[in-house]
Amino acid sequence: MQKKKQEQEIKRTSSRKAGPYEKYLEKGAQQLTDAELLAIILRTGTVGEDTVSIAGKVLSLPGENHSGILGLHHVSLKELMSIRGIGQVKAIKLKCIAELSSRIAQETAKKTLQLKDPRTVADYYMERLRHFERERVLLLMMDSRNHLIGEQVLSEGTVNASLISPREIFLTALRYSAVYIMLLHNHPGGDPTPGKQDILATERIKNVSAMIEIPLIDHIIIGDKKYYSFREMGYL
């Protein structure tokens, strides 16, 4: 009797179309498509549509400019919930996946972070800043050994402009007893090339920093997998 039950179970299993779970068990996560990975997170589909199909719609939702997994950073809960089969709980799970991916990337980059090396600084802050759709300006403060002792968000501007106040920068730097400072901000369009206002603001802060003896050691602009360092380009 037990043997017959086992044979029936094997027959049912073999006739069933292999889904993402079965594929994971057989081949591992590396062999799954993005849609299949998301399907496992979503767990259940809806009437007439399986999880892989729903996951495919999630991936295509952000459009051509932000396609794929990284597009999850650029869609809202409301947009996710507009997909049939995605409720609030599933939408929140998907947004949490996007945040986890950024944090994992940042922790990986942290191991090689050297504040004297613009590339490692850009790598560390890349995943954190490049997905913002508004400009965000960060102030980094270092001690005499170039160790990071503080970080402050200075402003969050519109899509194409940000406000950098020298007064706020140096009041914050003095509060932390900083010896050196560094500025970072993102360009939502993805191109890190500085505009006229970026250059003028950097020059002004550089001059003030020299007067109060808290040198500005760099201003790094984060784009989409690209960066611009004023120090590397000879401005600082």
Side-chain angles (χ1 to χ4, degrees):
M1 180 65 72
Q2 183 65 27
K3 184 178 180 180
K4 187 175 181 180
K5 285 184 178 180
Q6 289 175 344
E7 289 174 348
Q8 290 174 341
E9 179 62 28
I10 291 171
K11 187 176 180 181
R12 282 196 299 268
T13 303
S14 61
S15 63
R16 188 190 308 151
K17 182 181 176 181
Y21 286 96
E22 291 79 14
K23 187 174 178 180
Y24 174 88
L25 291 171
E26 182 182 351
K27 299 181 179 180
Q30 295 82 0
Q31 299 302 313
L32 270 61
T33 65
D34 290 349
E36 288 170 333
L37 288 169
L38 283 185
I40 290 178
I41 302 298
L42 294 174
R43 292 188 61 190
T44 57
T46 188
V47 177
E49 195 160 21
D50 62 21
T51 51
V52 176
S53 176
I54 294 172
K57 290 181 179 180
V58 169
L59 294 174
S60 63
L61 187 62
E64 294 181 2
N65 293 332
H66 303 290
S67 60
I69 289 289
L70 294 178
L72 289 174
H73 289 279
H74 302 277
V75 294
S76 66
L77 289 177
K78 185 177 180 180
E79 289 172 314
L80 287 168
M81 291 168 63
S82 70
I83 297 174
R84 185 168 172 266
I86 301 290
Q88 186 179 64
V89 172
K90 289 182 178 178
I92 290 172
K93 283 183 179 180
L94 292 170
K95 292 297 289 183
C96 287
I97 289 170
E99 178 61 24
L100 278 172
S101 69
S102 289
R103 295 189 187 189
I104 290 169
Q106 192 170 0
E107 283 300 308
T108 301
K110 186 176 183 179
K111 296 176 183 178
T112 59
L113 176 63
Q114 299 178 39
L115 291 169
K116 290 184 177 180
D117 182 355
R119 177 171 292 280
T120 68
V121 176
D123 286 344
Y124 180 63
Y125 285 94
M126 184 68 68
E127 285 303 314
R128 182 165 154 194
L129 292 176
R130 74 186 181 103
H131 299 295
F132 285 121
E133 296 183 6
R134 298 174 54 160
E135 287 195 7
R136 180 171 292 196
V137 181
L138 296 183
L139 173 66
L140 307 186
M141 290 155 286
M142 287 79 76
D143 62 17
S144 59
R145 296 184 180 182
N146 269 292
H147 295 150
L148 185 65
I149 58 174
E151 176 189 306
Q152 183 80 27
V153 177
L154 293 176
S155 71
E156 189 171 345
T158 62
V159 170
N160 57 9
S162 59
L163 301 174
I164 305 176
S165 166
R167 181 176 182 274
E168 184 180 354
I169 287 173
F170 292 106
L171 284 175
T172 304
L174 290 168
R175 190 163 65 246
Y176 278 83
S177 299
V179 177
Y180 305 104
I181 59 171
M182 182 185 299
L183 290 173
L184 286 98
H185 84 275
N186 62 304
H187 277 182
D191 181 1
T193 304
K196 183 178 179 181
Q197 292 303 315
D198 294 326
I199 296 171
L200 290 175
T202 304
E203 185 67 26
R204 181 174 56 171
I205 294 164
K206 172 188 171 183
N207 293 337
V208 176
S209 71
M211 285 191 293
I212 65 171
E213 299 181 341
I214 304 179
L216 174 67
I217 63 173
D218 206 348
H219 180 183
I220 296 174
I221 302 175
I222 301 295
D224 188 7
K225 298 184 180 179
K226 297 178 285 186
Y227 75 94
Y228 182 98
S229 163
F230 280 80
R231 179 180 175 184
E232 285 185 340
M233 300 306 293
Y235 281 94
L236 293 171

